[in-house]
Amino acid sequence: MNSVRRSRHQQIAKRWMSVAVASVVLGSGSLPAQAISWRDFLFRGIQVIQLSNVSPRQEVSLGEQIHSNLQQRGMRLNRDRRLNSYVDQIGQRLSNSVSRSNIPYRFFVVQDDAVNAYATAGGFVYVTTGLMKLADNEAQLASVMAHEVGHIEEKHLIKQIRQATLAQGIAATALGTDRNVLANIGVELLVRRPQSREHEYDADRTGLEILRRAGYATSEAPRFMEKLLSGGRPPTFVSTHPAVSDRIVELRRQIAASPNTGCERTPIPASCGVNNAEYQALVRNRI
C-alpha cells in the first residue's frame, strides 16, 4: 500500500515538475536550455527558492549566483585594491544606514568605460570605471550607489524575477525553481528590461534617505543627474522611464522638504563628500 501511494506521489510530482522546468527553460528564447531531472530536483536537495517569501540567506545565495553568471558573460572586475577599498568604504558607509541590516552589502568596480551602475539581489552593487570618471566628487558617486542600494532595499529584482516566472506560467509561490535558472532570468532582466517607473521613484526616494543618513550632501544627487542629462544621451541606467528631468524635479522637492543635515551649510563640511580635487586625485589616477 505504501509503495502504491509513493508511486502515485512520484507520478504527480513528475508531472508538475516537468511543466515547471519546461516553462522556465523553454519559455524564453534568450535563456540557455537546462537539463533538470525531476528526480534530482526533488530528491537531491537542489536549492529551491520560494519567490513569495525569499529569506535573506536565499536572496544572498541568488545574488552570488547572479554575480558568477555575470562574470561568465564577460563582466570584468577592476582589480586595483585601493580603488576597490575606496568604493567599498563608501558602500559600507551607506549600508550602515539601511533598514535591511541582515543583508551583507558588497560593492564592486566593473572595468568598463560605459557610464553604468546596477544592483542585483542580496547586497550586490556594481559601478563602472566610466561612471567613476564622470563623477565630480564622492557624494555624486555615493548618490548613484545609494540609488542602487535602494533597489535592493525594495527587493526590486526579486519582484521582477517573480513576475517573469509567473508570466511564463510558473506558480512560483507553490513550486519555486532552481537557483541557477532564477539567476539566468535575473541576468536577462538586468540586460534587457529596465526598471519600472514605480521602481525608479522608489529607489530614488529610498536612496536619497540612505544618502542623507550616511551624511553626504544630498544636493549632489540631482546635480549629478543633471550632468548625465546634459551629455545629450543619458546612459542606460538613467535613460529609462520616468524621464530623468522628472526625477530631478522630484529629488529636489524631496530635498527641500527634508530636515537640514549640516551638509547644506557654507562652507560644506569635508565629511559631506564634495571635495572635487581630492576625489579626482584618488580616483582618476587609478582608472
Side-chain angles (χ1 to χ4, degrees):
M1 182 68 178
N2 289 338
S3 62
V4 173
R5 185 181 296 112
R6 184 163 54 250
S7 176
R8 288 185 61 190
H9 287 171
Q10 289 178 345
Q11 289 174 3
I12 293 171
K14 180 177 181 180
R15 190 158 56 244
W16 275 101
M17 292 311 302
S18 296
V19 172
V21 171
S23 298
V24 173
V25 175
L26 304 179
S28 171
S30 59
L31 295 180
Q34 309 257 346
I36 302 176
S37 162
W38 69 273
R39 293 180 187 276
D40 287 342
F41 202 100
L42 290 176
F43 302 119
R44 293 186 185 178
I46 291 180
Q47 184 171 5
V48 173
I49 298 179
Q50 300 294 336
L51 292 175
S52 61
N53 188 26
V54 177
S55 71
R57 179 185 61 81
Q58 290 171 326
E59 184 181 346
V60 170
S61 181
L62 177 59
E64 290 171 345
Q65 186 66 54
I66 293 175
H67 180 70
S68 175
N69 290 10
L70 284 170
Q71 291 181 86
Q72 291 173 13
R73 291 195 178 202
M75 180 186 71
R76 189 159 63 96
L77 298 178
N78 179 281
R79 300 299 181 184
D80 186 288
R81 290 186 179 180
R82 186 176 178 187
L83 193 66
N84 279 274
S85 176
Y86 175 63
V87 170
D88 184 67
Q89 179 182 339
I90 297 171
Q92 297 309 322
R93 177 174 168 179
L94 294 169
S95 68
N96 286 335
S97 299
V98 301
S99 59
R100 300 181 63 202
S101 58
N102 52 0
I103 294 291
Y105 278 88
R106 283 169 275 191
F107 301 86
F108 301 89
V109 179
V110 178
Q111 190 65 42
D112 190 346
D113 289 335
V115 177
N116 203 1
Y118 43 94
T120 60
F124 287 77
V125 177
Y126 306 84
V127 294
T128 65
T129 50
L131 183 139
M132 295 182 70
K133 286 180 184 178
L134 190 63
D136 292 326
N137 53 50
E138 182 175 314
Q140 290 186 1
L141 174 60
S143 72
V144 176
M145 294 170 62
H147 173 90
E148 298 304 327
V149 170
H151 280 303
I152 296 175
E153 282 280 275
E154 303 296 337
K155 299 185 179 181
H156 287 158
L157 185 62
I158 296 293
K159 293 174 182 177
Q160 280 189 300
I161 292 174
R162 184 171 186 271
Q163 290 172 353
T165 57
L166 290 173
Q168 294 180 43
I170 308 166
T173 55
L175 296 176
T177 189
D178 177 33
R179 183 185 66 178
N180 189 53
V181 175
L182 289 177
N184 281 332
I185 293 174
V187 170
E188 290 298 318
L189 288 170
L190 284 173
V191 172
R192 303 183 188 280
R193 184 182 299 178
Q195 295 286 351
S196 69
R197 177 185 179 90
E198 178 187 359
H199 285 181
E200 287 298 351
Y201 277 130
D202 280 350
D204 279 347
R205 181 173 56 255
T206 303
L208 191 67
E209 183 58 29
I210 291 170
L211 193 69
R212 178 183 295 105
R213 290 200 297 260
Y216 283 108
T218 55
S219 58
E220 293 300 309
R223 187 169 292 137
F224 188 47
M225 290 188 74
E226 286 178 334
K227 183 174 183 177
L228 295 171
L229 188 59
S230 67
R233 185 178 180 183
T236 302
F237 81 102
V238 294
S239 62
T240 56
H241 62 284
V244 180
S245 56
D246 292 340
R247 291 172 60 190
I248 291 171
V249 170
E250 180 59 19
L251 282 172
R252 291 200 183 282
R253 186 196 67 77
Q254 291 175 27
I255 291 171
S258 301
N260 189 308
T261 62
C263 286
E264 294 79 11
R265 292 198 306 261
T266 302
I268 298 178
S271 61
C272 297
V274 296
N275 189 323
N276 292 12
E278 181 180 303
Y279 172 82
Q280 292 168 15
L282 176 64
V283 172
R284 294 188 179 179
N285 292 332
R286 308 194 71 85
I287 296 177

